Structure formats: structure tokens, C-alpha cells
């Protein structure tokens, strides 16, 4: 037996032993989901998602009804990590179920239940299940901002053109996190319908949204954004100005040359650096800047 064949055999045996060990671990943790100690159940639910064994899907689905919030939360997260579409129904039910608990304020949902619904929304987005699309679109209208933000992020993972218009509408949301997540999701989908709304986001009241819009427009490569990105070189925030300069360099439109040369006088070192880089991308040699 040659050394090469022996090495391959050893690698195979190592992989096989690792797989068998992981399978044994999964069996143990699945059993631990029935333990009377909530801490044990929580540890098991938290671990099963990282093991990648889909035999854990059904037990984790049952754990979504556990009496301990931490176990329910961990089960929802692990189901998302496992990515099995058969968990979609249970996660949709978790997203759409509003369980009320006694509180110092009448009829107020416990914050932890909102966290669970947001986690279920994130997990649902990872399943690549067609049945998730409509519930995720509906979740953009949820009363809880963390659920809406999770839905805006999750819709970016769905390969369905009908999510574009709801995400564009989400750019008018009150929550900056929802608007930002919607921007990044629109980038992933890369539908031309989103270009004009993305350009308008350069004028958003929140710096974080404007920054995301500038970065995304540079990556999309649509020259309709050039004029607005040139205006963004005068944004009040230096990070936005720097991102606009970099975006203009990526777009490669000569209309940006003069404004970028002016940006070399910006008070921010980061803006000057990005403007220099952008001008080089546009073919303007350093000696003439």
C-alpha cells in the first residue's frame, strides 16, 4: 500500500469517526431535550443546531413549545441553523402566535416572547422554503420592530421576485434597523426596481441608513446613482462621504472626477483616502490630483 493511499484511508477513517461521534452526540442531546432540568434542555437545544444532524428537527420542533423561554429560543435558533424546510410550519406558527402573560401592564406581551418571535423569523428565512415567503412579507407589518427587522433581513434570502415591492415599502419604516435590513436585502436580490428607492435612501434622516445606501449603490453598478452619490460627497457625516467616494470609484463614471478632486480637500482623512482611490480607479494619475 502506497503512502498516498494510506494517507487517504486515514483521512477517510478520521472523517467517518467524526461523523459517527457527531451522530452519537446528536442522539444524546435529543434525549436531553426531555430532561426535567431546564438548564439541560437549554444546553441541548443550543447545541443541536451546530451538529448539523437533521434527525434533531422534529425534537426541536417540539421544543418550541417548551415551558422555558430559553429552550424555546434556542430551539428556534437551532432549527434555522439546520435549515430543514420541514420546520417551516412550526416556525411560522411560532412567529404568528402571540402568547400573553401576566404583567404589570394589562395585555402587554412579555418582551421575551417578542424575542422568540424575532428569532423564529430569522430562522424561517434560513430554510429556503417557499411557504416562508408570505408569512415573512406579512411580518413586515408586525407591531414589534424586532420582528419587522428580522423579516426585512430574512426576505433577502428568498429567491422570489414578489418580495421586492414589500421591501421597497419597508424603506419608509419608522425603525432605522428595518430600513437598513431592507436595503441590504434589496442588494442581495439585485432587482432593478430597487435602484431608485435605494438612491432616495441617500437622503434618509438616519446616518446608518445613508451609509448602507452609499455602500450598496457602489456595488450594484447602476449609473443612475452617480448624481446622488456626488451630492452625498457633501453629506454631514464623514463615513457617508467616504462611502460615496468609494462608490463613485466603483461606478467609474467620469462625471465624478471633478467632485472627487474637490473631496481631496475634505477635513476627513478617510474621505481623502477614498477619493484618491476612486480617482485612481477613474484613471486620474496621482500627480494630477
Amino acid at each position: 500500500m502506497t503512502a498516498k493511499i494510506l494517507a487517504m484511508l486515514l483521512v477517510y477513517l478520521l472523517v467517518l469517526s467524526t461523523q459517527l461521534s457527531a451522530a452519537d452526540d446528536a442522539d444524546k442531546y435529543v434525549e436531553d431535550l426531555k430532561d426535567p432540568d431546564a438548564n439541560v434542555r437549554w444546553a441541548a437545544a443550543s447545541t443541536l443546531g451546530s451538529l448539523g444532524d437533521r434527525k434533531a428537527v422534529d425534537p426541536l420542533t417540539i421544543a418550541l413549545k417548551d415551558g422555558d423561554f430559553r429552550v424555546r429560543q434556542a430551539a428556534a435558533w437551532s432549527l434555522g441553523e439546520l435549515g430543514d424546510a420541514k420546520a417551516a410550519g412550526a416556525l411560522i406558527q411560532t412567529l404568528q402566535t402571540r402568547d400573553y402573560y401576566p404583567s404589570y401592564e394589562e395585555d402587554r406581551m412579555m418582551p421575551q416572547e417578542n424575542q422568540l418571535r424575532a428569532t423564529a423569523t430569522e430562522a424561517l428565512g434560513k430554510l429556503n422554503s417557499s411557504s416562508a415567503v408570505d408569512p415573512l412579507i406579512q411580518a413586515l407589518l408586525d407591531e414589534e420592530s424586532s420582528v419587522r427587522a428580522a423579516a426585512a433581513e430574512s426576505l433577502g434570502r428568498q429567491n422570489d421576485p414578489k418580495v421586492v415591492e414589500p421591501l421597497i415599502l419597508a424603506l419608509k419604516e419608522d425603525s432605522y434597523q428595518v430600513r437598513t435590513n431592507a436595503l441590504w436585502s434589496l442588494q442581495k436580490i439585485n432587482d432593478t426596481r430597487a435602484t431608485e428607492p435605494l438612491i432616495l435612501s441617500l437622503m434618509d434622516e438616519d446616518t446608518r441608513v445613508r451609509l448602507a445606501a452609499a455602500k450598496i449603490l457602489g456595488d450594484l453598478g447602476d449609473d443612475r446613482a452617480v448624481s446622488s452619490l456626488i451630492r452625498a460627497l457633501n453629506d454631514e457625516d464623514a463615513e457617508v462621504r467616504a462611502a460615496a467616494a468609494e462608490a463613485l470609484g466603483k461606478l467609474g463614471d467620469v462625471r465624478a472626477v471633478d467632485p472627487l478632486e474637490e473631496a481631496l480637500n475634505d477635513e476627513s482623512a478617510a474621505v481623502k483616502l477614498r477619493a484618491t482611490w476612486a480617482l485612481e480607479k477613474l484613471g486620474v494619475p496621482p500627480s494630477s490630483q
Side-chain angles (χ1 to χ4, degrees), residues 64 69 72-73 76 94 112-121:
L64 289 172
F69 163 72
R72 299 195 299 275
Q73 180 92 338
T94 302
Q112 65 182 22
E113 291 306 315
N114 286 334
Q115 295 174 32
L116 174 60
R117 294 176 57 240
T119 301
T121 305

Side-chain angles (χ1 to χ4, degrees), residues 152-213:
E153 180 180 3
S154 291
L155 283 168
R157 300 189 181 102
Q158 311 309 307
N159 187 26
D160 192 322
K162 74 178 179 182
V163 308
V164 174
E165 292 298 337
L167 283 170
I168 288 173
L169 289 174
L171 296 177
K172 301 177 181 178
E173 251 274 4
D174 290 337
S175 165
Y176 90 88
Q177 191 63 65
V178 176
R179 300 198 302 276
T180 303
N181 288 357
L183 283 172
W184 289 113
S185 286
L186 287 167
Q187 180 202 33
K188 291 177 183 177
I189 297 166
N190 197 16
D191 189 297
T192 55
R193 288 175 288 172
T195 301
E196 292 297 339
L198 282 166
I199 291 171
L200 289 175
S201 293
L202 285 172
M203 297 184 288
D204 194 276
E205 63 183 17
D206 193 284
T207 300
R208 292 161 290 192
V209 177
R210 299 197 306 276
L211 179 60

Side-chain angles (χ1 to χ4, degrees), residues 51 61 66 131 166 191 195 202 204 210 214-215 229 238:
L51 294 181
T61 297
D66 194 275
S131 64
D191 189 297
T195 301
L202 285 172
D204 194 276
R210 299 197 306 276
K215 290 179 177 179
L229 285 167

Side-chain angles (χ1 to χ4, degrees), residues 232-255:
L233 290 174
N234 296 312
D235 193 276
E236 63 184 21
D237 184 85
E239 281 192 84
V240 176
R241 298 197 302 274
E246 182 172 337
L248 287 166
K250 291 179 178 179
L251 292 178
D253 192 300
V254 295
R255 288 176 290 171

Side-chain angles (χ1 to χ4, degrees), residues 210-227:
R210 299 197 306 276
L211 179 60
K215 290 179 177 179
I216 291 168
L217 286 167
D219 292 333
L220 289 181
D222 193 321
D223 61 8
R224 285 180 289 173
V226 171
S227 297

Side-chain angles (χ1 to χ4, degrees), residues 29-55:
Y29 288 118
V30 165
E31 193 61 31
D32 283 349
L33 288 175
K34 304 173 186 176
D35 196 281
D37 187 335
N39 288 322
V40 174
R41 299 197 306 277
W42 168 74
S46 300
T47 303
L48 282 166
S50 61
L51 294 181
D53 193 326
R54 296 196 174 189
K55 75 172 113 181

Side-chain angles (χ1 to χ4, degrees), residues 125-165:
K126 297 177 181 179
L127 302 188
N128 195 25
S129 170
S130 59
S131 64
V133 174
D134 287 338
L136 287 172
I137 291 174
Q138 182 180 353
L140 283 175
L141 303 175
D142 197 272
E143 62 188 18
E144 172 57 38
S145 63
S146 63
V147 174
R148 299 196 304 274
E153 180 180 3
S154 291
L155 283 168
R157 300 189 181 102
Q158 311 309 307
N159 187 26
D160 192 322
K162 74 178 179 182
V163 308
V164 174
E165 292 298 337

